[in-house]
Amino acid sequence: MAKAPGLIVDEDLVAQEFDLEELLGVDLSNEESLAEEIGQDIVDFIQERAANGQGIGGKELRSPYSKAYSKSIEFELFGKSEDEVNMRLTGDMLDSIEVLGFDNNVLTVGISGAEAPKAH
């Protein structure tokens, strides 16, 4: 599978870089607050898409659950279903998606810190 442009996948960081000038055709390098708003819209979109059981391109999320995980006490306690995938158990991973930075028209959105290994 080809890696998406601007994708960063490490154990301590899972992120996507967006070149806003390339995408929008406008120099936003001096518009940090606007870039932050665009970034927050991206975060909201990702979280809503996952809540609806969809992944990249609107494709249905398939069960990524291992047999051991699907039989775990956490899985049962949180009322999870192997057939309903929304990438949420506690919500911590998806809720940790944030705007990580904006520099020279490049907006970075992703997960860093304690939730990054889970996203990795």
Side-chain angles (χ1 to χ4, degrees):
M1 178 179 207
K3 183 176 168 184
L7 186 63
I8 304 166
V9 181
D10 292 317
E11 287 188 23
D12 59 346
L13 175 67
V14 176
Q16 181 83 37
E17 293 179 328
F18 300 91
D19 184 327
L20 297 182
E21 185 171 20
E22 182 180 304
L23 291 171
L24 304 174
V26 179
D27 180 3
L28 296 178
S29 59
N30 293 320
E31 301 290 339
E32 189 168 349
S33 62
L34 178 57
E36 290 277 336
E37 287 182 44
I38 293 168
Q40 189 56 54
D41 285 345
I42 292 169
V43 169
D44 294 344
F45 174 80
I46 293 168
Q47 292 171 335
E48 184 176 323
R49 182 182 67 192
N52 291 323
Q54 297 176 335
I56 295 172
K59 292 182 182 175
E60 183 178 336
L61 292 172
R62 291 178 288 177
S63 181
Y65 306 127
S66 68
K67 288 184 182 187
Y69 176 64
S70 63
K71 295 186 184 324
S72 71
I73 190 73
E74 293 89 357
F75 199 85
E76 185 179 330
L77 286 173
F78 282 95
K80 295 294 291 179
S81 164
E82 288 183 58
D83 298 324
E84 184 182 330
V85 180
N86 62 11
M87 297 178 66
R88 284 194 177 272
L89 181 61
T90 64
D92 292 344
M93 184 184 70
L94 283 174
D95 290 344
S96 70
I97 301 171
E98 62 184 343
V99 176
L100 298 172
F102 178 66
D103 185 41
N104 198 28
N105 279 307
V106 176
L107 175 70
T108 306
V109 175
I111 300 172
S112 63
E115 294 298 316
K118 191 186 306 181
H120 180 268

